[in-house]
Amino acid sequence: MRRELNILIGGEAGQGLVTVGELLTRALIRSGYQVHVTQSYMSRIRGGHNTYAVRAGIENVHGPAQGIDILVALNSETLELHREELTPGAVALKDKNAQASDLEAVDIPFADLAGSALYENVVGLGVLSYILGLDREMPAGCIRSAFEQKKPEAVDKNLEVLDKAYAFASKSGVAGFNLDEPKGSAGLMLAGNQALALGALCAGANFCSYYPMTPSTGIPMTLNSYARDFGMVVEQAEDEIAAINMALGASYAGARSMVATSGGGFALMCEGVSLSGMTETPVVIVVGQRPGPATGLPTRTEQGDLNLVLYSGHGEFPRAVLAPADPGQCFVLARRAFDLAEKSQGPVFILTDQYLADSYRNVHLPDPEILEPVASPEVCGEVQEEYERYAFTPSGVSPRIIPAMSRCLVVLDSDEHTPDGHITEDLQVRKKMVDKRLKKGDILKQEVILPAYTGPQNPKDLLVCWGSTRGPALEAREIMGSENTAVLHFSQVWPLDAEHFRDYLQRAQRVVFVESNATAQFAQLVSSMVQPANMAYVLRYDGLPLDGQYIADNIL
């Protein structure tokens, strides 16, 4: 019996490896195991080498891990590329027609068992489920859930193939990899994009505009699947400039509004960010990071757009930047982003990345009934003779009334404006308006999420990380020795208050910044506020996600 293991399914795009992986992951979660999925795929519609890696354990698994215990090779290339990663005692499964040179592998007659290429992925699911000791009803239930609504006629055939695969595996002599009894509860199987979309819906979001771009497109796709049930409008715009301006227009008209994009698309949206700042229009902007510049590696991961988001837009105005660590935080922080956007009447960003966007986990969502309500504008303001959209207030936040919902005249202007919204070149008014807008930054500072500290009070090494690197950093702490190592994770990277982390940085003998970029962007930001005595870095920017062993091996 084992406490955890790593499974890697590899093949070409179009061979059904994602279907196998998702069904297997769902079966493991329904069985009570904790899972972590990492997807690697090339920027091609068909072909190329893609992988779907499932790490399953009886307790929480923080992130990806090195080594492969079970390799499912849907083509010969997978065997050659990953043979060196096999752990002692690992098993490789391959199609009986695939060439394996001198690698010992179990031949699976995919075509014979499936009877049709359509069902070959179910053969893989059945063999894997048998090897893992899963009750046949677990994958069978997942097949029913997947096909009963969309293709009910395909359920019986899939179950027939599943039974053939179980029968084959039982006679093949392949070693079993039974896991110990799970200790956790199942939860939902959600990837970062899905959880973020659900968090937005829970916040009352009802408008999303976007231009398709990996890895963020999964957010509007998820929202679209719930659009009818939640009164959600999802609009694919002709380009990114139109997308952000649609979102701002919808917000002006009273919608809870968001856009989802990635670095290259967000670069085109920057003028819209300034428009949000000047018109004091709430908007949530999700940026799914991937390696750049330009098209870069469009289906790989990186944390290279922090500075782009932090300094995007011309002029000076406040903003908040949130960076969830996992799908659970994606849900929570999406909801918080809408609340902050409304309270500060401006742009709020959520920074994810390809690794997080496509990474499935067990997620336990909070009960929406017990959550604090999200801030909202006045829909029908009291009738006033002179309503001022940009009235000067002690907090800098002016009353926001939805136009055409009352007798109040709501005037908005992207030029500098007077309190009632009309264009002005009165330079004294200009100065007061700049101060008013910047004053709203105090609200964001008051609501800032504190960094999360894990470890001893006076560690030898403090691993400082942000966003999706939390799980790998926590795992690195276990590898390096939890008695000497601590982790400080930031799920909000702007605004920052040095008083929230100064003491942590000064107590550690060495501060190690862990980031998925080449220039330590967050380290530069933090060290501009607090300069640790002894700094080190673990930076990964080859397009692959960090893992605990990589961090532990690369601390100099």
Side-chain angles (χ1 to χ4, degrees):
M1 303 293 276
R2 304 169 62 115
R3 298 178 64 82
E4 68 169 66
L5 53 78
N6 291 324
I7 306 158
L8 188 135
I9 306 165
E12 295 181 0
Q15 284 193 296
L17 64 96
V18 173
T19 301
V20 178
E22 289 186 353
L23 289 172
L24 177 67
T25 303
R26 202 174 299 281
L28 285 164
I29 289 177
R30 289 185 180 184
S31 300
Y33 294 106
Q34 304 299 303
V35 300
H36 179 283
V37 171
T38 308
Q39 297 191 63
S40 175
Y41 49 96
M42 300 184 76
S43 180
R44 301 179 188 178
I45 302 301
R46 292 190 66 87
H49 178 63
N50 300 341
T51 63
Y52 190 102
V54 183
R55 184 183 182 189
I58 62 173
E59 297 174 307
N60 188 34
V61 285
H62 296 304
Q66 298 179 6
I68 299 171
D69 300 305
I70 302 175
L71 175 64
V72 182
L74 301 182
N75 60 8
S76 301
E77 185 183 18
T78 299
L79 290 170
E80 297 307 316
L81 288 175
H82 298 283
R83 58 191 302 157
E84 299 300 326
E85 300 172 50
L86 295 174
T87 59
V91 62
L93 310 174
K94 73 174 186 65
D95 184 90
K96 69 175 185 179
N97 297 317
Q99 300 299 314
S101 61
D102 59 342
L103 178 65
E104 185 175 341
V106 178
D107 287 335
I108 309 294
F110 280 96
D112 297 342
L113 293 171
S116 164
L118 289 175
Y119 304 105
E120 289 186 9
N121 49 19
V122 179
V123 174
L125 173 67
V127 173
L128 272 173
S129 298
Y130 177 85
I131 293 173
L132 294 171
L134 297 181
D135 184 277
R136 180 262 184 195
E137 188 52 31
M138 286 299 172
C142 295
I143 288 173
R144 294 190 193 95
S145 299
F147 295 106
E148 273 181 343
Q149 295 295 323
K150 298 178 181 177
K151 293 182 179 179
E153 70 280 3
V155 172
D156 288 343
K157 180 59 180 176
N158 275 288
L159 293 178
E160 177 186 330
V161 173
L162 179 72
D163 289 339
K164 288 183 178 178
Y166 259 73
F168 168 81
S170 68
K171 298 175 183 175
S172 67
V174 62
F177 281 79
N178 289 7
L179 288 163
D180 283 339
E181 287 295 316
K183 296 181 178 179
S185 55
L188 298 174
M189 172 184 164
L190 291 175
N193 275 349
Q194 295 170 324
L196 203 153
L198 294 180
L201 289 172
C202 186
N206 51 9
F207 185 87
C208 176
S209 48
Y210 74 106
Y211 185 77
M213 199 165 183
T214 304
S216 62
T217 307
I219 297 169
M221 293 300 97
T222 303
L223 291 172
N224 196 46
S225 67
Y226 294 103
R228 289 183 183 276
D229 296 329
F230 287 84
M232 182 89 192
V233 175
V234 181
E235 178 70 18
Q236 178 177 330
E238 65 267 33
D239 57 39
E240 288 86 352
I241 298 172
I244 192 167
N245 285 309
M246 278 185 184
L248 292 173
S251 181
Y252 170 69
R256 288 197 196 279
S257 189
M258 68 182 295
V259 291
T261 186
S262 300
F266 179 67
L268 297 173
M269 295 183 176
C270 290
E271 187 172 6
V273 175
S274 292
L275 183 60
S276 170
M278 176 56 107
T279 59
E280 303 187 38
T281 305
V283 66
V284 173
I285 304 168
V286 183
V287 179
Q289 299 169 99
R290 67 189 208 188
T295 308
L297 294 171
T299 59
R300 308 296 179 179
T301 197
E302 198 165 272
Q303 291 181 308
D305 294 334
L306 173 59
N307 285 339
L308 172 66
V309 168
L310 202 55
Y311 304 111
S312 61
H314 53 286
E316 299 171 298
F317 53 93
R319 71 191 70 194
V321 185
L322 310 179
D326 54 35
Q329 274 205 338
C330 282
F331 178 89
V332 173
L333 296 189
R335 202 171 183 280
R336 189 179 185 87
F338 282 93
D339 189 56
L340 288 175
E342 187 60 47
K343 287 178 176 174
S344 64
Q345 295 185 8
V348 173
F349 298 89
I350 303 175
L351 266 178
T352 67
D353 51 57
Q354 182 271 328
Y355 159 63
L356 173 58
D358 294 329
S359 177
Y360 285 98
R361 315 275 182 91
N362 309 62
V363 180
H364 296 273
L365 299 181
D367 181 356
E369 299 294 330
I370 64 173
L371 295 174
E372 293 290 328
V374 175
S376 60
E378 294 182 57
V379 175
C380 300
E382 294 180 6
V383 176
Q384 303 171 27
E385 292 185 1
E386 294 184 4
Y387 167 70
E388 293 185 330
R389 171 64 187 92
Y390 301 111
F392 295 115
T393 65
S395 67
V397 177
S398 307
R400 190 167 87 93
I401 292 177
I402 303 306
M405 301 299 287
S406 72
R407 294 179 62 187
C408 297
L409 176 62
V410 181
V411 180
L412 172 148
D413 202 314
S414 66
D415 283 69
E416 191 55 273
H417 38 252
T418 55
D420 61 3
H422 290 93
I423 185 172
T424 183
E425 292 197 25
D426 183 323
L427 303 186
Q428 293 304 311
V429 173
R430 156 68 182 179
K431 184 173 183 301
K432 291 179 67 176
M433 276 296 170
V434 171
D435 292 341
K436 164 189 148 50
R437 289 190 288 269
L438 292 178
K439 183 69 176 174
K440 295 190 298 178
D442 293 343
I443 295 173
L444 297 176
K445 289 180 180 176
Q446 292 164 10
E447 300 257 353
V448 71
I449 303 170
L450 302 184
Y453 184 83
T454 304
Q457 289 300 303
N458 298 290
K460 176 184 175 186
D461 285 314
L462 173 64
L463 307 181
V464 178
C465 58
W466 60 282
S468 67
T469 54
R470 182 184 66 176
L474 289 172
E475 185 133 6
R477 174 176 177 260
E478 295 175 2
I479 295 170
M480 296 165 60
S482 56
E483 70 281 2
N484 292 320
T485 312
V487 172
L488 186 65
H489 175 259
F490 290 76
S491 55
Q492 180 164 357
V493 293
W494 191 259
L496 293 176
D497 184 341
E499 297 309 311
H500 294 156
F501 53 85
R502 184 191 309 278
D503 189 46
Y504 296 127
L505 269 58
Q506 292 180 342
R507 287 205 308 260
Q509 295 181 33
R510 181 172 63 165
V511 176
V512 183
F513 288 92
V514 179
E515 301 186 52
S516 291
N517 57 54
T519 56
Q521 295 180 23
F522 189 62
Q524 293 180 40
L525 185 62
V526 170
S527 60
S528 71
M529 306 172 77
V530 179
Q531 181 66 47
N534 189 6
M535 293 174 60
Y537 307 91
V538 176
L539 307 174
R540 186 166 199 177
Y541 44 95
D542 59 2
L544 299 176
L546 286 158
D547 62 70
Q549 192 64 56
Y550 183 95
I551 295 170
D553 290 346
N554 284 276
I555 295 179
L556 301 178

